[in-house]
Amino acid sequence: MKVNFNNRDPVYVQVVRHFKEQIATGTLEPGQEIPSRRELANKLKINPNTAQRAYKEMEEAGLIHTERNLPSKITRDEKVLGAVREELIEQAVDSFVTSIRSINVPLDEIVGLLQDKYQKESKE
Amino acid sequence: MKVNFNNRDPVYVQVVRHFKEQIATGTLEPGQEIPSRRELANKLKINPNTAQRAYKEMEEAGLIHTERNLPSKITRDEKVLGAVREELIEQAVDSFVTSIRSINVPLDEIVGLLQDKYQKESKE
DNA sequence: TAAGGTGTATTACTCGATTGATACATATTT
DNA sequence: AAATATGTATCAATCGAGTAATACACCTTA
């Protein structure tokens, strides 16, 4: 468990994003248990309330379930789980298309740039 | 002159972005005069200081030049002008690649989505 | 000369999101 | 029963970006 925090976005947003990525890539599986609020807070060196806020968002989005004091679990709802990946992708594509179109960049040029950068520079 | 403001980003950032887009697409030409701070503020219904801040950013970036009280002008420095387009594109591509890669989306799938959306939905 | 436009600097305020402190009920465990 | 861990709710504090108020020097022009 490791999250590369940036200084722009709120911590709780980045935590949610991180879980969504884990779900989208299958690293987190349906029904899998996740750390408690306080445990997560310890690992990530963040305030427990911040962890709670992230979990609350995910709970409301139906991504996780919590019963009493038992460990929260990733939902088994395939529909919800599938939508996570689609949502992340659509969001990225939409925002990208908006940016690019306002500069009138030909599609060919874009695809070329993407191919260059996609596999490359996985490092840093 | 019309800027579609959103509620996320600071106004002065959006103003700068707007000018950069105009430059990148050639709508604003080298040496062309731009409105005074107060005039722009009137048109866009924003505070004159906000306009000033946007112009200051552009001045520091070398995008515009200001002499005394004369109307500010778009720079004639071709190097700077060309870099604007490249910067906008690179920024968009980088951010997109980062998003997409963390979800492990195959490049083929991406290109398909892009082709669908790029020409489409110019409306809304 | 007076008036009105310009760019610019300094300062203050606002305002809201984000984070943190604290408390409470429940459940489990020892 | 006591202790500890859990989820949750409420409230307070912070804190900094963004915006605004104001003033000043300059120039042009009427």
Side-chain angles (χ1 to χ4, degrees):
Chain A
M1 177 81 54
K2 176 96 184 303
V3 180
N4 290 325
F5 290 117
N6 64 55
N7 301 331
R8 313 185 286 288
D9 306 318
V11 173
Y12 77 92
V13 169
Q14 298 183 59
V15 171
V16 171
R17 162 100 196 174
H18 178 258
F19 274 91
K20 285 185 177 176
E21 288 174 356
Q22 303 278 305
I23 291 175
T25 56
T27 305
L28 280 178
E29 297 175 358
Q32 184 170 344
E33 294 184 357
I34 59 176
S36 77
R37 278 74 169 159
R38 291 174 172 86
E39 193 179 345
L40 181 75
N42 272 335
K43 286 186 183 173
L44 303 185
K45 312 292 180 192
I46 62 179
N47 190 284
N49 289 307
T50 304
Q52 159 64 6
R53 174 145 189 193
Y55 277 27
K56 187 182 178 186
E57 301 256 328
M58 293 195 281
E59 186 89 38
E60 290 171 351
L63 296 179
I64 65 175
H65 281 292
T66 307
E67 288 181 32
R68 297 172 305 182
N69 300 354
L70 300 178
S72 299
K73 295 177 182 174
I74 303 294
T75 183
R76 294 185 186 278
D77 187 330
E78 294 295 347
K79 194 173 176 184
V80 171
L81 292 174
V84 171
R85 184 173 188 272
E86 303 314 314
E87 174 209 324
L88 291 180
I89 295 176
E90 183 182 340
Q91 189 176 303
V93 170
D94 283 354
S95 135
F96 182 55
V97 166
T98 300
S99 299
I100 287 298
R101 191 156 41 201
S102 64
I103 325 172
N104 290 347
V105 187
L107 191 55
D108 298 341
E109 188 178 345
I110 299 170
V111 173
L113 289 174
L114 280 182
Q115 286 172 337
D116 281 356
K117 294 218 171 180
Y118 190 64
Q119 300 299 346
K120 229 175 178 181
E121 64 173 288
S122 291
K123 48 202 164 189
E124 173 161 353
Chain B
M1 177 81 55
K2 175 94 186 301
V3 180
N4 291 326
F5 290 116
N6 64 54
N7 300 330
R8 312 186 287 287
D9 306 318
V11 172
Y12 78 91
V13 170
Q14 298 183 58
V15 171
V16 171
R17 161 101 195 173
H18 178 257
F19 274 90
K20 285 185 178 176
E21 288 174 356
Q22 304 278 305
I23 290 174
T25 57
T27 306
L28 279 178
E29 296 174 0
Q32 185 171 341
E33 294 184 357
I34 59 177
S36 77
R37 280 75 168 158
R38 291 172 173 87
E39 193 179 344
L40 182 74
N42 273 335
K43 287 188 183 173
L44 302 184
K45 311 294 180 191
I46 62 179
N47 190 283
N49 288 307
T50 304
Q52 159 63 5
R53 174 146 188 194
Y55 277 28
K56 188 181 179 187
E57 300 257 327
M58 293 194 284
E59 187 89 36
E60 290 171 351
L63 296 179
I64 66 175
H65 280 292
T66 308
E67 289 181 30
R68 296 170 309 182
N69 301 354
L70 301 179
S72 298
K73 295 177 182 177
I74 303 294
T75 183
R76 295 185 185 278
D77 186 330
E78 295 293 347
K79 194 174 177 183
V80 171
L81 292 174
V84 172
R85 182 173 188 273
E86 303 314 316
E87 174 209 324
L88 290 180
I89 294 177
E90 184 181 341
Q91 188 176 305
V93 171
D94 282 355
S95 135
F96 182 56
V97 165
T98 301
S99 298
I100 287 299
R101 191 155 43 201
S102 64
I103 326 174
N104 288 347
V105 188
L107 191 56
D108 298 341
E109 187 178 345
I110 299 172
V111 173
L113 289 173
L114 278 182
Q115 287 173 336
D116 281 357
K117 294 217 171 180
Y118 190 63
Q119 300 297 347
K120 228 175 176 181
E121 65 172 289
S122 291
K123 48 203 166 188
E124 173 161 352

